[in-house]
Every structure is written in structure tokens, then in C-alpha cells.
Amino acid sequence: MMTTIHPLSSEDAAFVAAMRQAAAAHKGAPLGPEARPMFDAMMASTPAAAGIRVEPGTVGGIPGFWLRLEKVTSTSRILHLHGGGYVLGSAQAAIGFASQIANRAGADTFVPNYRLAPEHPFPAAIDDTVAAYRGLVAEGAERIVVSGESAGGGLALALLSFLSAEKDTLQPAGAAVMSPWTDLTLTGSTYETRAEADPIFTKDVFKGFVAAYLNGVDATDPKASPLYARLEGLPPVRIDVGDDEVLLDDSIRYADRARAAGTEVSLSIWTGMPHVFQASIGQLNAAEQSVDAIAAFLRQRLA
């Protein structure tokens, strides 16, 4: 499958420049649990899609939120995994963002509140993700796709490889991930080549996340770093990533390895865009275009 490079529009360039200026003072600041309220407020600013009913729920023993669409009778489901470096983020803060995907893809969506580090280090997050997926199957979902951003994108890809070893389990029909964190060894070349371009993150920020989450576990464990997982026999994957982010290489290397293993991967690289730019839907044209394309991919996988 293809790699697509999307150009930067002049309107988006102006918005990103302003955002870059606003973020400059905080770039590289360590992000521990104390940053959770700030991170949640930032993620919760993504507007919710119209016509979505939000219900607290528990799936597979994991609490979270259901995003229910009006007049949908299908048993297809989306499992959406929020980002935050395994230390930050929550299902509640992700409702607006996930609802934009759910609404466009046309499927009821569950957003699990997986446990966070350092209180609950690896493998708590992936264990909770697997439990939520199994819960959707147990509740009668006949087709499931997975979406996620940043660490949630890494969880989504780790889930695919983990489940692919189980021949008697309903396999996901596909996954769409945004700026996925696929390699907790932090060996991607773009930690250096995009160090200046990235308006938000530095390698040291990710080192802090790794220390909190892995707690000494080998970073090449495939349940932590899907880049090192078995990539044969996976369902189709769509990856969207900004060209101005230190995690760019995590997407490129994963796409290369997955394709080499025979997995169908489409990689979209968005010029001038920062990490998880899709959360700025309503402000960035690229966010709208990316989320529309992600939803079209998921809708096709659920058909």
C-alpha cells in the first residue's frame, strides 16, 4: 500500500505558527501525573460531534464511556484508545475527539479508561485494552475496528499483534492510528532530525514516560513496543502522522516492517503538522481531512 505526503495549506500554516509560538515556553517540560488536569483540559477542548449519546459503561471489566449513535442497529463497534504517554489522558477527556471519529465512521464506540502509570505500570494498559476488546466480543460485536492516538495508537497496534496469535479469537477488522508511539526504545531517527520542528515534545519527555510506564521492563517487549511484535497476518492498518514530530520515525518504521511482513498499510504524512493534530478539528483543515479519511477507512473495514 501507499505512502501519501499531504501538503500544508496557507490557512493551516498560520494556525500552526500561532500554536507553535504559544507552546514554545512549555516545550520539553516533563509531563508526570501532576500534568493530568492540564492534559485532560487540552484534549477535552476538541468539540463533540452532534447526535452522539454519551453513556458511562463497563466492558470486559474495564470502565469507560460508550459513544452511541442515533438510529444505529449494527453490531459493528469501534474500540478507541486515548493517548497520553501511558501516564496522562482519560476516557472522559477523549470523548469529543473519539465522537468525531464515531460519528463519521457510523459505529458505536467504546473508550476504555485503561489504568495509567506510574501507579499501574506495564502491562496494565495493554492488559486493560485486551480485556475491553474481549468484552466487546463477549457482548456480541461481530466486527470491531480499533483507533487510537499516540500511546493509544501504540496500544492499538500492540493489540493487533497480540490477538493475531489467537486463531480462535474474533480478529479486529482493521486499525487506524494517529501519531502512534511504536518504539519505547526511543531509537527513531526523528528524535534528532525533528527535534527543532516538533513544537511540543523532546526525547527527554518520552524518556520520562518510559521510566514511569516500563518500570525497568525491556522496552522491546512486543506488548510495549509493537514495532518489535510479530507483524504477519494483521488486518489492514492506516497510519496518519505529522511531518513535524519526533515520533514520525515510529510511524515510518512500523509501516515499513508491517508491509515487509505482508500487512496492508497506508501511511499518510501531513506536512507541517504536529503530534495528534487531528485533535484540532474545527481549527485545522488538515485535521478535518485526516479524520474524514480515517473514518472512511474504518467504515470500509466495518462494512
Side-chain angles (χ1 to χ4, degrees), residues 47-229:
I52 300 268
R53 194 171 74 253
V54 179
E55 299 173 357
T58 303
V59 175
I62 310 302
F65 289 90
W66 274 106
L67 310 180
R68 305 279 194 190
L69 277 68
E70 292 167 2
K71 303 182 190 127
V72 164
T73 55
S74 160
T75 59
S76 296
R77 299 286 180 264
I78 300 170
L79 178 65
H80 182 84
L81 303 162
H82 72 77
Y86 301 106
V87 173
L88 310 171
S90 66
Q92 183 149 21
I95 284 171
F97 186 37
S99 75
Q100 294 288 348
I101 297 170
N103 184 50
R104 287 166 167 80
D108 285 358
T109 298
F110 185 68
V111 188
N113 220 16
Y114 61 83
R115 290 167 293 164
L116 298 177
E119 302 92 325
H120 305 284
F122 177 84
I126 185 66
D127 285 352
D128 289 358
T129 297
V130 171
Y133 182 88
R134 293 200 200 289
L136 290 176
V137 176
E139 289 184 10
E142 287 176 25
R143 282 181 88 76
I144 304 171
V145 291
V146 192
S147 60
E149 77 279 359
S150 194
L155 279 176
L157 298 175
L159 176 70
L160 296 191
S161 287
F162 179 81
L163 293 172
S164 71
E166 302 182 353
K167 296 304 167 217
D168 56 345
T169 299
L170 176 74
Q171 296 295 313
V177 294
M178 294 150 275
S179 304
W181 190 16
T182 68
D183 179 14
L184 275 62
T185 72
L186 309 183
T187 52
S189 65
T190 45
Y191 283 110
E192 279 70 48
T193 63
R194 297 298 189 275
E196 290 300 311
D198 193 313
I200 308 156
F201 290 115
T202 64
K203 190 173 187 175
D204 282 345
V205 174
F206 286 96
K207 280 182 183 166
F209 290 150
V210 168
Y213 180 52
L214 288 186
N215 199 21
V217 170
D218 181 1
T220 63
D221 187 307
K223 291 207 297 185
S225 295
L227 184 66
Y228 305 105

